[in-house]
Amino acid sequence: MCVAVLVSGVAMGQAPVAAPAAPVASGPAAEVQRSYAAVKKNILKSAELMPAESYSYKPEPDIRTFARVINHVSEAQFRSCGIANGAKDIAKPPAETADKAAIVEALKASFEECDKAYAALTDANVAEMFSLGQAKRSRIGLMWGNAAHDQEQYATLALYLRLKGLVPPSSEK
């Protein structure tokens, strides 16, 4: 009897076992959707984090401004995701000399366009082909190309933030 009391006392002192985590979706579509979701968060936070007066910042005279990098992301996303969505007219961001609010608004609109394109991506349609001028790309190639390009541009934005003494979103604690 003493052993049973001791064992039950030890068992009651144990922390409850956590429920297993929900399974993570897998497959080609889910992989690129996760990559896109992560970089989207970092780019949007970077755009918000940089002060308005620093949108014209560029580390060297012959390098793009922070605003131009943001607009470049918007342009590329409007184009890639617009093509995947079958858009007839591809939207354009404002001039890099526009105010921060206009530039961020265009960035958010480009992410809305991409949200639709990534939501439409399934393992069943990854091989669907799209025409880009004289070239052809698969849906998965178009989406991975966009996600990879966003990662590359985020690296530039993170560097600009660090040069301005700010911590990039991916390095926040």
Side-chain angles (χ1 to χ4, degrees):
M1 172 136 171
C2 184
V3 171
V5 171
L6 285 173
V7 171
S8 66
V10 170
M12 291 185 135
Q14 299 293 320
V17 176
V24 175
S26 62
E31 289 171 358
V32 71
Q33 288 161 339
R34 276 192 301 277
S35 180
Y36 164 75
V39 74
K40 172 186 174 182
K41 181 180 80 171
N42 286 333
I43 290 174
L44 286 170
K45 281 186 174 181
S46 296
E48 294 293 346
L49 185 61
M50 184 65 91
E53 64 273 8
S54 295
Y55 263 58
S56 60
Y57 172 73
K58 52 183 175 177
E60 293 288 330
D62 60 338
I63 295 178
R64 299 178 293 179
T65 64
F66 186 87
R68 181 67 198 114
V69 177
I70 295 289
N71 274 352
H72 179 66
V73 170
S74 298
E75 288 167 343
Q77 291 196 143
F78 280 137
R79 184 171 188 273
S80 295
C81 296
I83 288 168
N85 291 332
K88 300 295 180 211
D89 295 315
I90 304 298
K92 302 250 187 256
E96 70 180 270
T97 55
D99 66 1
K100 175 181 175 174
I103 291 169
V104 171
E105 182 179 325
L107 178 65
K108 288 178 179 178
S110 76
F111 276 115
E112 288 171 10
E113 187 75 25
C114 282
D115 288 348
K116 291 185 278 188
Y118 283 92
L121 181 66
T122 67
D123 289 346
N125 70 7
V126 295
E128 181 182 358
M129 297 302 289
F130 292 92
S131 293
L132 286 83
Q134 294 183 344
K136 288 198 178 273
R137 298 238 6 227
S138 66
R139 182 179 290 272
I140 192 80
L142 195 58
M143 297 295 88
W144 265 122
N146 179 77
H149 181 263
D150 281 358
Q151 291 285 0
E152 178 184 314
Q153 298 311 306
Y154 172 65
T156 301
L157 296 172
L159 176 62
Y160 282 36
L161 290 170
R162 286 204 184 276
L163 290 171
K164 294 301 281 181
L166 301 168
V167 177
S170 57
S171 296
E172 291 176 344
K173 291 184 182 182

